[in-house]
Amino acid sequence: MEKYPADKAIKEVKEKGAIVINVGMPFEYAAEHIPGSINLPIEDVEAGKNPDVPKDTKIFLHCGSGGRAEKVKNILRERGYKKVENIGGLVDWERAGGDVERMKNK
């Protein structure tokens, strides 16, 4: 699995309007996610759902560790999404200086 450098992804999101998709389960997304990211679970992608963005949009995928994101990357590339990359997990994003939004305990 080859991960796209998270620091480059952060820059492209801020400067070029690239989007970030979390391919984890909704409860994982609710617990912690990249602000502004979209939740599109791997199960939905495997069932045929595509991101609601043009196929030439730069897309960065992530999950807990990058394994599910890699699978989704390959699926979306087969469906004609040319600019889709796996950035790994939230830890990769956070280590590169990116923000992570976490659910607060009540």
Side-chain angles (χ1 to χ4, degrees):
M1 170 176 58
E2 184 178 330
K3 295 180 189 175
Y4 191 88
D7 59 335
K8 288 184 180 181
I10 291 167
K11 186 174 181 176
E12 289 185 51
V13 169
K14 289 179 180 177
E15 296 177 3
K16 298 181 181 177
I19 66 163
V20 179
I21 297 177
N22 178 318
V23 300
M25 297 297 293
F27 73 88
E28 293 172 301
Y29 182 83
E32 58 182 4
H33 61 271
I34 295 169
S37 65
I38 299 165
N39 184 217
L40 180 60
I42 187 173
E43 290 82 3
D44 291 354
V45 175
E46 290 174 331
K49 186 170 182 177
N50 289 328
D52 190 21
V53 298
K55 289 188 175 183
D56 62 346
T57 301
K58 184 70 173 221
I59 300 171
F60 295 112
L61 304 170
H62 79 89
C63 57
S65 64
R68 291 174 288 177
E70 186 71 15
K71 290 179 185 176
V72 171
K73 177 185 85 172
N74 293 329
I75 292 168
L76 294 181
R77 284 186 176 175
E78 288 175 6
R79 294 181 186 168
Y81 289 85
K82 304 293 184 206
K83 299 178 179 179
V84 58
E85 300 290 348
N86 175 7
I87 59 171
L90 279 175
V91 68
D92 298 302
W93 181 267
E94 201 165 31
R95 282 182 185 153
D99 293 330
V100 174
E101 190 171 298
R102 291 187 169 84
M103 181 172 41
K104 294 178 176 48
N105 294 332
K106 294 181 182 181

